[in-house]
Amino acid sequence: MTSSLVTSERPKWDNKVQYLLTCIGFAVGLGNVWRFPYLCQIYGGGAFLIPYLIALVFEGLPLLYLELAIGQSLRKGSIGVWHSISPLLGVASMIISLLVGLFYNTILAWVLWYFFHSFQEPLPWSVCPINENRTGYVQECVDSTPVNYFWYRQTLNITPDIEESGTLQWWLVVCLASAWSIVYICFIRGIETIGKAVYVTATFPYLVLTIFLVRALTLPGATDGLRYLFTPDWTLLMDPQVWLDAATQIFFSLSLAFGGLIAFSSYNPKKNDCERDTLVVGLINSATSLYASIPIFAILGFKATSNFNSCINSNILDLTNAFDIGETNITMENYESWLTYLNTTDPDKVSGLNLKHCELQNFLDQSASGTGLAFIVFTEAVIEMPGSQVWAVLFFIMLFSLGLSSMFGNLEGVLTPLLDLHLVPKWMPKELFTGLICVMNFLVALIFTLGSGNYWLEIFNSYVGSIPLLVIAFCEIIGVVYGCLCFRFSDDIESMTGRRPNLFWRVCWMGISPIMLLVVLVAYVVVQVQKHPTYPAWNPKYEKFPESEVKPYSSWVFAICVLLSTVPVLSIPIVAVYRLIRRQTRQQTGSSLPNPYDNQAFSTESFKTL
Amino acid sequence: MLAGVLLLIFLPPLVAKDLCKDSQDGFKVRLSIKTGLGDDAYEWNESEMFLFRSTLAYAMRKHSNQDTYTIDNILVCNDTQRVSFVFVVTSTDDPDQLIPKEQVELAVRQNKHRINNAFLLSDMTLEFMGIPPTLSAPIIYDTEPWLIVFGVVIGAVAVGIVALLMSTVSKKRRAKEKAAGLSEEDEGIVKENGTALSSLGRKEGVYNQAFSNDDRFTKL
């Protein structure tokens, strides 16, 4: 009973539900809400589901099963798990989790900023602020839209160029500090507190999505949006870009190769059916993406319809005022007939009015993904809905909980390997260590609160969260299947789930998934290399403002991009070489024989079960 | 003689119309009653026009501090279906003299709020062409609302963190006390497997079920 003999027990989940909710929360993140609907829309609606489901079945589920099984059987975080194959696979995962956690929480800080402002009446992004001498509205706002102005100027205070760093925006620092504090309070004791927090953060988004679904379907124009989203365009299936995007979307959506899933399943009891867990997590993730796209697109359809209506109404007003016609004589229905009549009687005057060309399709085509969807398009839609504050608050809380549960996975992907490597000094309590991690992350993430922060975030998003993950996943699957774990792996699974993995899994692991991953990786690299690295900059002095100015990255910035992509994965061959060298030197000193006393059958954990 | 009388009778309105139509000092007014009031919209008729002329006379009175302006000083023309028309203001001293545009503009701007309210309209629905609406002052808060929400959230989080840390500290302290307490009882009471006998209610030893008296199955 005395604590000196027994090492501290590995923490474990209170119950299966916590574990499943945590994995689902990690997989279901912001991308399910703001990336999948966009892809669905631009790649021919219902037709996109075909490459998506194929990628899920042949690439996503096998890799997910692999990670969950590995973590559960070896009961270590990513570094420990890959120790026998290539320890640096784990370190690469850890580095990537760290880097992604940095910028992901900055997005949550932005969500918090919008959340704090959603309690105002009127919503601050609905009106332009008045300029200093009270003669009119701020010019930048008048040129673009109030929503854009609020995002680019009042939130980000963005500089026109990535080279101009600007200063730290104090309000963003404050929001970032609150975001990290909220993350800390949930993460303070590792999975003990995470397991309780996910009861809320993983389930709340579903509640809000349902509320939005009910509200959105009653809005005018919702059916236009849904029809636009789901109308399949089968011809697009010929385009290889669609398949590439489907494969990458599934891969990033399931949060594979971060090490977080391995960490979570390592806290499971040995006898746990991870095959069923895989199916549950994978299918719920995809179902959530589909479920989220319905209210999102209904609301976007509503926004397109209201934009179309205001376009027509402004034309009607121009006509009524120019021709002094009675007020409600021209309506939306007879607009066309009035226009033709006026064109025949007085074409010069009509053309002098410069009437806007209004077409519903154009408004529906204005889609966006990522931060553009959440902070520009959706906020604009929310203004038009009656009771905007309520919808804005709900929406931003939903985004925050989606992102928070994904942050848990990122941080666990960092914490668990460090704990397993015993890098934490014995005297340091876990609370202090997690606090240190949060504080250090906060300090580094201050980069993203500079004036040019958004540009840097885009760089991190595109370069860290893409190619390195694909490389790691590829090495993972090759390592497990063809490495030394190969034959024991099926036995391990049999002991955990009670049955050997069936033919489908084995075929996928040995053949289909690695080939698919390799093709996706190569295609992704080829596409990236062909594109000249540019970024859209918000420059009020640009002549075509409010369009973004497309600027190329300067050489030092591009060097950083390349570094971000390659350094995490460079560690894998570097340590392989290092081990080779060490093995050489050990052979020379003659101690290459394995230690006969190193009997791994008697680990400290099995000691407890006597 | 008759012609002269007729001319005298019809001259003022004709002159008035000329003053209104040709002048540079007039303003075009546009009302969007149906847009502004929807179902509660009233009909635009002579009485409403009368009200308009009297509100403008009121505005001129306030601006010039002269109580001599009457409804006859406000001339209206170019009435259209849109409900838009042009008006001019004649001087109180000389009915043929018009008040310059700038004066009228100032008078309207100062009293736009009262004019709007007389017609239950707003700056968007009662427009004076050429007179931009004075933008309402931006609301200045003592504390920005977002800082209040932020304060609430951060306060709750801070309380939570402190509570969790305190519970960890107290848990550790209790564990330490238990360990210290157990080591004290070592001398006095016979310990078996780490539990003090006192917790067993002073039983005589521990009943070891491995050696049961049931020898049904242990016959060699």
Side-chain angles (χ1 to χ4, degrees), chain A residues 215-481:
Chain A
R215 171 74 261 221
L217 289 177
T218 56
L219 289 169
T223 39
D224 287 320
L226 287 176
R227 204 181 314 133
Y228 185 68
L229 169 68
F230 286 119
T231 313
D233 182 1
W234 306 104
T235 57
L236 277 169
L237 287 181
M238 299 296 161
D239 184 5
Q241 183 70 25
V242 177
W243 293 87
L244 177 64
D245 272 338
T248 45
Q249 170 62 15
I250 262 293
F251 182 80
F252 299 133
S253 178
L254 284 171
S255 309
L256 300 165
F258 277 92
L261 289 168
I262 297 181
F264 288 143
S265 60
S266 71
Y267 297 116
N268 268 338
K270 203 71 197 259
K271 292 232 180 291
N272 176 46
D273 192 348
C274 44
E275 183 177 1
R276 221 158 41 113
D277 297 342
T278 310
L279 292 173
V280 167
V281 173
L283 292 175
I284 288 187
N285 179 52
S286 296
T288 309
S289 294
L290 270 168
Y291 187 58
S293 53
I294 301 178
I296 298 274
F297 264 85
I299 291 179
L300 289 182
F302 160 72
K303 172 181 167 291
T305 307
S306 12
N307 283 354
F308 174 69
N309 285 348
S310 26
C311 182
I312 295 267
N313 279 330
S314 84
N315 282 355
I316 291 179
L317 194 66
D318 288 339
L319 281 176
T320 342
N321 288 346
F323 290 93
D324 283 323
I325 311 166
E327 234 190 302
T328 44
N329 285 4
I330 308 184
T331 61
M332 297 243 345
E333 288 82 35
N334 56 26
Y335 168 71
E336 288 295 323
S337 46
W338 266 102
L339 187 60
T340 38
Y341 165 71
L342 289 171
N343 243 335
T344 43
T345 48
D346 202 343
D348 297 324
K349 202 168 179 185
V350 170
S351 52
L353 287 174
N354 285 330
L355 293 176
K356 290 186 264 197
H357 182 68
C358 303
E359 234 200 82
L360 186 60
Q361 197 60 28
N362 288 348
F363 291 112
L364 283 171
D365 282 334
Q366 285 168 7
S367 58
S369 75
T371 51
L373 176 71
F375 300 124
I376 299 180
V377 172
F378 208 81
T379 44
E380 197 179 324
V382 154
I383 301 173
E384 311 280 337
M385 293 162 74
S388 344
Q389 280 78 11
V390 172
W391 304 113
V393 166
L394 275 179
F395 179 65
F396 290 117
I397 296 188
M398 174 186 81
L399 283 188
F400 191 74
S401 29
L402 281 172
L404 192 64
S405 46
S406 300
M407 272 304 291
F408 296 153
N410 283 330
L411 288 176
E412 270 298 322
V414 171
L415 179 71
T416 307
L418 288 177
L419 286 177
D420 291 334
L421 278 183
H422 302 293
L423 283 178
V424 186
K426 280 279 174 335
W427 52 268
M428 196 186 271
K430 200 188 223 177
E431 289 82 357
L432 183 58
F433 189 60
T434 49
L436 268 179
I437 294 183
C438 287
V439 167
M440 276 177 9
N441 273 327
F442 166 69
L443 290 174
V444 177
L446 285 176
I447 305 175
F448 301 117
T449 57
L450 291 171
S452 53
N454 190 33
Y455 301 131
W456 286 109
L457 198 133
E458 286 300 318
I459 287 182
F460 269 68
N461 192 14
S462 334
Y463 290 97
V464 171
S466 55
I467 295 182
L469 288 173
L470 288 168
V471 171
I472 291 179
F474 183 69
C475 293
E476 269 182 19
I477 198 167
I478 294 293
V480 169
V481 170

Side-chain angles (χ1 to χ4, degrees), chain A residues 130 189 321 325 327 431, chain B residues 33-35 82 136 167-168:
Chain A
I130 302 177
R189 284 201 207 131
N321 288 346
I325 311 166
E327 234 190 302
E431 289 82 357
Chain B
I33 309 173
K34 291 204 189 101
T35 318
R82 174 68 180 81
S136 51
S167 79
T168 320

Side-chain angles (χ1 to χ4, degrees), chain B residues 28-107:
Chain B
K28 183 170 181 185
V29 180
R30 188 155 61 213
L31 286 100
S32 312
I33 309 173
K34 291 204 189 101
T35 318
L37 297 168
D39 288 330
D40 299 325
Y42 45 80
E43 196 61 43
W44 185 259
N45 50 29
E46 281 302 315
S47 313
E48 304 289 344
M49 183 59 88
F50 182 84
L51 178 60
F52 180 80
R53 291 169 70 195
S54 53
T55 20
L56 267 178
Y58 160 77
M60 291 307 299
R61 280 195 183 198
K62 276 198 85 173
H63 168 68
S64 60
N65 279 324
Q66 288 173 276
D67 278 344
T68 47
Y69 281 97
T70 64
I71 194 168
D72 294 318
N73 292 116
I74 315 290
L75 306 170
V76 168
C77 55
N78 282 354
D79 218 342
T80 68
Q81 271 283 334
R82 174 68 180 81
V83 191
S84 71
F85 46 84
V86 176
F87 77 92
V88 288
V89 185
T90 57
S91 158
T92 41
D93 311 313
D94 181 6
D96 293 326
Q97 260 269 328
L98 290 178
I99 304 283
K101 208 168 184 171
E102 299 79 28
Q103 300 284 328
V104 180
E105 180 174 341
L106 277 173

Side-chain angles (χ1 to χ4, degrees), chain A residues 48 107 136 180 232 307 383 442 499:
Chain A
F48 180 70
I107 300 181
W180 276 109
N307 283 354
I383 301 173
F442 166 69
R499 54 187 181 280

Side-chain angles (χ1 to χ4, degrees), chain A residues 1 112-113 115-117 119-122 130-131 134-137 170-171 174-175 177-178 181-182 184-186 188-189 192-193 317 320-322 324-329 429-432, chain B residues 28 30-36 80-84 127 133-139 141 144-147 149-150 153-154 156-161 163-165 167-168 171-172 193-194:
Chain A
M1 197 65 154
L112 267 186
W113 166 261
F115 168 70
F116 292 152
H117 279 84
F119 291 95
Q120 269 175 254
E121 163 68 31
I130 302 177
N131 63 16
R134 293 233 259 138
T135 52
Y137 298 112
W170 68 266
W171 56 90
V174 158
C175 290
S178 357
S181 323
I182 299 179
Y184 177 54
I185 195 180
C186 299
I188 194 168
R189 284 201 207 131
E192 268 180 62
T193 40
L317 194 66
T320 342
N321 288 346
D324 283 323
I325 311 166
E327 234 190 302
T328 44
N329 285 4
K430 200 188 223 177
E431 289 82 357
L432 183 58
Chain B
K28 183 170 181 185
R30 188 155 61 213
L31 286 100
S32 312
I33 309 173
K34 291 204 189 101
T35 318
T80 68
Q81 271 283 334
R82 174 68 180 81
V83 191
S84 71
E127 299 164 83
T134 329
L135 299 165
S136 51
I139 316 172
Y141 298 101
E144 299 264 333
W146 77 269
L147 281 174
V149 183
F150 161 72
V153 167
I154 272 284
V157 168
V159 164
I161 291 180
L164 277 173
L165 288 176
S167 79
T168 320
K171 217 192 279 180
K172 282 219 174 108
N193 294 339

